[in-house]
């Protein structure tokens, strides 16, 4: 392991020692400020360069024994898939749903890598009978117990994401809100009776809920409803130790983003303007999803957590 290990010596707890030669050929020892990503020396964890690999190692077991259900995988680029992989790495056992026959094959191929006995079942989140059946199946699979649920589902008719918001039809508004916002309420209501020892529900949002993003239109209004629903659900279910939170992700190149005019210039805009000068990685959404699902977030509920390389704090 080639990382810089922190040495505990005197008052230099936050520094590492570096050997340097002066112009006279003398060897001197320089203290370097410890890099912020470094972990504790006792666990022998190296820093920055290996930070991500280490991040994964250190979250191992964080969700061990927990059972979860994942809504919203379409393909390997899906945010739902990134979070599912991170949950699995952390020790969770997961069930998956897919929307319609079109996605069945894709989702099955991915989910079967979690073990051939993985529950993979259809769920159109606008159908109450689908939701009832799915949670019966999930309950049977996991012995009547559930700890985690991921909601990564959104849809608005394509036309509604092209022109102006004022042109949104009644039907496009209804569909966008049904699929993207009401579904969280319906799924949470069905999941709650299985979360007998508490639980963590994570939903995906976007900054368009809060500020106008050109063409995001009715999806922005639906995400605002999703975020408000998160707060009301958190209030209702807190007594049962069920937490409900949103991750507001910066733009990610998924199936849902493809075909959106100007999406690649949007990625460039974030790179130029976000404090971290880059876009968020799917595995970073996975890491945040794991944190929110874990007992480390036991006092966090009703929140919208921005995982957007800091973009949301900028005023200009
Ligand atoms: O929430 C989303 C995507 C949601 C979405 C995408 C589509 C495309 C295909 C919902 N419905 C549809 N319907 C379709 O027919 N994002 C955060 C990604 C996204 O979508 C945008 C964005 C960003 C960012 C749409 C317009 C402008 C920006």
């Amino acid at each position: 392991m080639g990382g810089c290990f922190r040495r505990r010596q005197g008052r230099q707890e936050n520094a590492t020692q570096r050997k340097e030669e002066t112009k006279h050929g003398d060897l001197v020892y320089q203290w370097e400020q410890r890099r912020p990503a470094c972990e504790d020396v006792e666990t022998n964890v190296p820093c920055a360069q290996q930070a991500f690999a280490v991040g994964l190692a250190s979250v191992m077991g964080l969700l061990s024994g927990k059972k979860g259900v994942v809504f919203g995988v379409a393909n390997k680029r899906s945010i739902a898939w990134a979070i599912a992989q991170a949950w699995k790495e952390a020790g969770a056992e997961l069930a998956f749903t897919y929307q319609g026959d079109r996605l069945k094959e894709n989702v099955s191929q991915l989910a079967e890598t979690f073990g051939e006995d993985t529950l993979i079942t259809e769920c159109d989140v606008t159908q109450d009978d689908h939701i009832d059946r799915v949670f019966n199946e999930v309950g049977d699979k996991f012995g009547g117990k559930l700890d985690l649920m991921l909601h990564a589902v959104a849809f608005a008719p394509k036309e509604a994401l092209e022109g102006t918001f004022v042109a949104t039809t009644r039907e496009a508004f209804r569909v966008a809100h049904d699929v993207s916002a009401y579904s969280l309420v319906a799924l949470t209501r069905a999941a709650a009776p299985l979360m007998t020892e508490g639980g963590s529900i994570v939903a995906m949002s976007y900054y368009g809920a809060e500020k106008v993003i050109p063409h995001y239109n009715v999806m922005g209004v639906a995400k605002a409803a999703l975020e408000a629903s998160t707060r009301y659900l958190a209030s209702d279910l807190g007594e049962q130790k069920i937490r409900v939170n949103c991750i507001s992700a910066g733009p990610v190149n998924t199936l849902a983003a493809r075909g959106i005019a100007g999406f690649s210039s949007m990625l460039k805009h974030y790179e130029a303007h976000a404090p971290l000068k880059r876009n968020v990685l799917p595995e970073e959404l996975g890491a945040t999803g794991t944190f929110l699902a874990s007992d480390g977030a036991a006092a966090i509920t009703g929140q919208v957590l921005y995982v957007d390389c800091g973009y949301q704090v900028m005023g200009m």
Side-chain angles (χ1 to χ4, degrees), residues 70 72-78 80-81 84-85 96-114 118-122 254-256 258:
V70 174
V73 177
N75 62 27
K76 67 175 200 277
R77 288 185 148 172
S78 297
W81 181 239
Q85 283 178 97
F96 292 86
T97 70
Y98 59 88
Q99 188 256 308
D101 278 341
R102 201 172 42 92
L103 294 175
K104 180 175 185 173
E105 202 42 49
N106 258 348
V107 177
S108 298
Q109 268 188 23
L110 291 170
E112 272 162 15
T113 66
F114 281 38
T118 303
L119 174 63
I120 305 161
T121 192
E122 185 182 2
T254 62
L255 184 64
R258 211 173 306 153

Side-chain angles (χ1 to χ4, degrees), residues 154-156 158 161 206 213-216 219 223 251 256 260 263 266:
F155 179 78
K158 193 161 175 52
L161 302 175
Y206 178 61
I213 304 291
H215 307 299
Y216 199 60
M219 271 310 307
K223 289 298 193 189
I260 288 159
F263 190 78
M266 175 173 261

